[in-house]
Amino acid sequence: MPASTSIVLKSLSILLGLFFIFIGTMKLSPYFSKELHRDLRKEYVKYAKVFPLASLFDLKIPSKWYRRVVGILEVICGLAMVFIPYHKVKNTANIMLLSLMLLAVYSHYMVSDPFERSGPALVFTFMLGGRLVVWYQINRREMEAAAAAQATANGLKQE
């Protein structure tokens, strides 16, 4: 495996993880910015009204709990992306964050937010998708190399 692809995967994991830890913390607490936290609280009132499962099951989602659950999931998944070395855990966190970002893009669209508000969700959707693609490519190369090494060890290498 080339070192550059491993560096790309590790860098993406750490940077995305740190971003989601930061954003999740902002949803949970005014620690970083009171103004931004207040703004997020107001926005989640709109997003809770367009939550896809709310209309399907005729539920009313409290915006406070919706924001808190999303924030907690972002922090937990971000911590997993940064600190947990196992790819299965990182990929599970990646898929959960990707799902949250798709939900965010949907919510922004449904409330007719301007692009300035929905743009970051789109960017991070593509970055999370890109991280999964990079992991898949690295994993596929490792599997091919292992299969080739096994074939050579068995004396079955054909050219």
Side-chain angles (χ1 to χ4, degrees), residues 3-54:
S4 62
T5 55
S6 178
I7 290 171
V8 168
L9 186 61
K10 286 179 183 175
S11 299
L12 270 174
S13 297
I14 291 169
L15 292 173
L16 285 167
L18 290 174
F19 171 78
F20 282 104
I21 292 168
F22 175 72
I23 292 301
T25 302
M26 288 192 18
K27 289 176 182 159
L28 297 171
S29 159
Y31 180 74
F32 292 114
S33 170
K34 288 180 183 180
E35 183 179 316
L36 196 50
H37 179 71
R38 191 176 323 117
D39 185 44
L40 283 167
R41 285 183 11 212
K42 278 195 292 187
E43 292 300 314
Y44 265 84
V45 171
K46 294 188 296 187
Y47 302 149
K49 291 177 183 173
V50 297
F51 183 72
L53 298 177

Side-chain angles (χ1 to χ4, degrees), residues 58-148:
D58 197 31
L59 298 170
K60 184 176 186 283
I61 307 293
S63 62
K64 177 165 114 175
W65 287 105
Y66 182 35
R67 177 180 45 83
R68 286 179 178 174
V69 167
V70 169
I72 289 168
L73 286 174
E74 287 176 345
V75 170
I76 290 170
C77 291
L79 288 169
M81 297 274 287
V82 173
F83 295 112
I84 298 179
Y86 304 108
H87 286 294
K88 286 184 180 183
V89 175
K90 285 183 185 289
N91 289 344
T92 301
N94 195 136
I95 290 168
M96 288 178 67
L97 289 170
L98 185 58
S99 300
L100 288 174
M101 287 297 96
L102 290 171
L103 180 63
V105 169
Y106 170 82
S107 298
H108 287 297
Y109 175 76
M110 292 304 289
V111 299
S112 301
D113 272 344
F115 183 73
E116 296 85 34
R117 255 189 132 49
S118 59
L122 286 168
V123 168
F124 283 98
T125 299
F126 291 125
M127 288 179 71
L128 288 163
R131 188 205 163 276
L132 284 175
V133 169
V134 169
W135 174 83
Y136 174 76
Q137 290 174 340
I138 290 171
N139 189 49
R140 191 184 74 213
R141 283 188 199 134
E142 287 175 350
M143 297 294 274
E144 288 171 356

